Amino acid sequence: MNKLSTSLLLASLLVGTLPHPAQALTPTSEASQAEYRLGGGDVIRISVYQSQDLSLETRLSETGVISFPLVGALMLGGRTVAEAEQVIASALKKGEFLKNPQVNVVLMQARGSQVSVLGQVNKPGRFALENGGTKLSDVLALAGGVLLNQASDDVVVVGTRDGQAFRKVINLPEVLDGRQRYDDIVLQGGDVVYVERAPVVYIYGEVQRPGQLRLERGMTLLQGLAAGGGLTQRGTERGIRIHRRNEAGEVEEIQPSMTEVMRAGDVIFVRESLF
């Protein structure tokens, strides 16, 4: 098994090492919560210093509203934990219930925020962010991992960050083998994760296994021929041609060397030897 296949296999096996979506998760760390925005259905625990009567655990409504003692309805949906603390403290201070309220909010369950996983995964669909620190690898595991031999190395995440459109292309094998671990980003509600289809090349003519081949990163013509089982007894290296689409969209015929790096969509034709 090559390095890429091993990396993709790791992605599929992640489902056995991460929490199942049905399992209860413990409250998240402060660092994780700082990046999370509250949504409808989330459960939070609120405590006010030296005001035990104002402490409670509650669930945000579908519209992101909670009912808090003394001040009534408060909109917390779309806010970070720190912002929610400020909203509650400001309401208590504005109502003159406390002079300098010190409010602490802890995210207990994140049920309102969901992400969509599409493309080359075993179980595409929508998944709840079970805690404030849910990473890309966590969600791919919940989706059953990527489809071996069909998924591209690249995973695209789109959404919004700080009110701005967000798009990031992530090399999954490099995340899983630790080279780009920091690209295992924390997801937010509304994000869409798309696992692209692997690029392919096509091979036909005098080869053992003509058809479609998955294009590995940096694959040369020689490696492509090997993946196709090699030449038949009637095939000749001198008769190999590549049909490739150029930047103008036109198909060109190339007489390549064996070290030619293949491109997505290349069509390899192996001619029959005349002798």
Side-chain angles (χ1 to χ4, degrees):
M1 182 179 293
N2 60 32
K3 184 177 180 181
L4 177 58
S5 296
T6 301
S7 295
L8 291 174
L9 180 58
L10 286 172
S12 293
L13 292 178
L14 276 172
V15 71
T17 61
L18 294 168
H20 189 277
Q23 293 177 330
L25 294 169
T26 58
T28 59
S29 67
E30 291 181 4
S32 296
Q33 290 188 39
E35 302 179 33
Y36 181 80
R37 293 193 177 275
L38 299 172
D42 289 350
V43 177
I44 57 175
R45 179 181 294 163
I46 304 170
S47 58
V48 181
Y49 180 63
Q50 291 187 338
S51 299
Q52 185 65 34
D53 291 343
L54 297 178
S55 298
L56 80 159
E57 186 169 311
T58 186
R59 183 184 300 274
L60 274 69
S61 71
E62 292 300 317
T63 57
V65 174
I66 67 164
S67 179
F68 193 72
L70 301 179
V71 298
L74 292 175
M75 169 60 76
L76 301 184
R79 301 181 183 275
T80 65
V81 168
E83 290 171 345
E85 292 172 344
Q86 293 174 3
V87 168
I88 297 170
S90 296
L92 290 171
K93 188 174 183 179
K94 184 177 180 180
E96 299 184 351
F97 300 111
L98 294 172
K99 285 188 176 182
N100 187 28
Q102 298 179 40
V103 179
N104 181 58
V105 175
V106 177
L107 176 64
M108 304 303 294
Q109 289 184 330
R111 297 291 184 183
S113 296
Q114 294 185 324
V115 297
S116 298
V117 183
L118 307 172
Q120 305 304 304
V121 293
N122 284 289
K123 296 184 295 183
R126 291 177 61 82
F127 299 90
L129 294 175
E130 293 290 333
N131 61 57
T134 303
K135 295 184 177 181
L136 173 64
S137 59
D138 300 331
V139 171
L140 288 177
L142 296 178
V146 301
L147 294 171
L148 295 180
N149 301 321
Q150 297 183 39
S152 168
D153 292 354
D154 292 332
V155 177
V156 180
V157 179
V158 295
T160 57
R161 298 292 187 276
D162 299 322
Q164 302 295 320
F166 171 83
R167 183 179 188 273
K168 187 174 181 64
V169 180
I170 297 166
N171 185 283
L172 183 59
E174 291 185 356
V175 167
L176 295 176
D177 67 17
R179 284 179 289 167
Q180 302 286 348
R181 192 63 184 173
Y182 53 82
D183 271 346
D184 194 10
I185 62 175
V186 173
L187 299 180
Q188 294 186 7
D191 282 352
V192 177
V193 178
Y194 179 65
V195 181
E196 298 183 335
R197 182 178 294 276
V200 297
V201 296
Y202 305 89
I203 184 169
Y204 73 109
E206 296 301 326
V207 289
Q208 300 290 345
R209 295 192 297 272
Q212 178 177 293
L213 300 175
R214 187 186 195 279
L215 179 62
E216 306 289 356
R217 190 178 296 272
M219 177 186 280
T220 63
L221 173 60
L222 180 60
Q223 292 170 326
L225 293 173
L231 277 59
T232 66
Q233 292 182 347
R234 294 181 296 179
T236 173
E237 293 182 7
R238 291 178 297 177
I240 297 177
R241 298 290 185 271
I242 293 178
H243 293 85
R244 175 178 294 165
R245 193 174 298 277
N246 61 24
E247 294 182 358
E250 301 170 342
V251 177
E252 299 176 334
E253 184 176 275
I254 301 171
Q255 187 174 349
S257 67
M258 285 296 172
T259 58
E260 177 78 23
V261 176
M262 307 303 298
R263 299 181 187 177
D266 279 356
V267 179
I268 307 167
F269 174 57
V270 181
R271 298 178 186 271
E272 181 180 358
S273 175
L274 300 178
F275 303 100

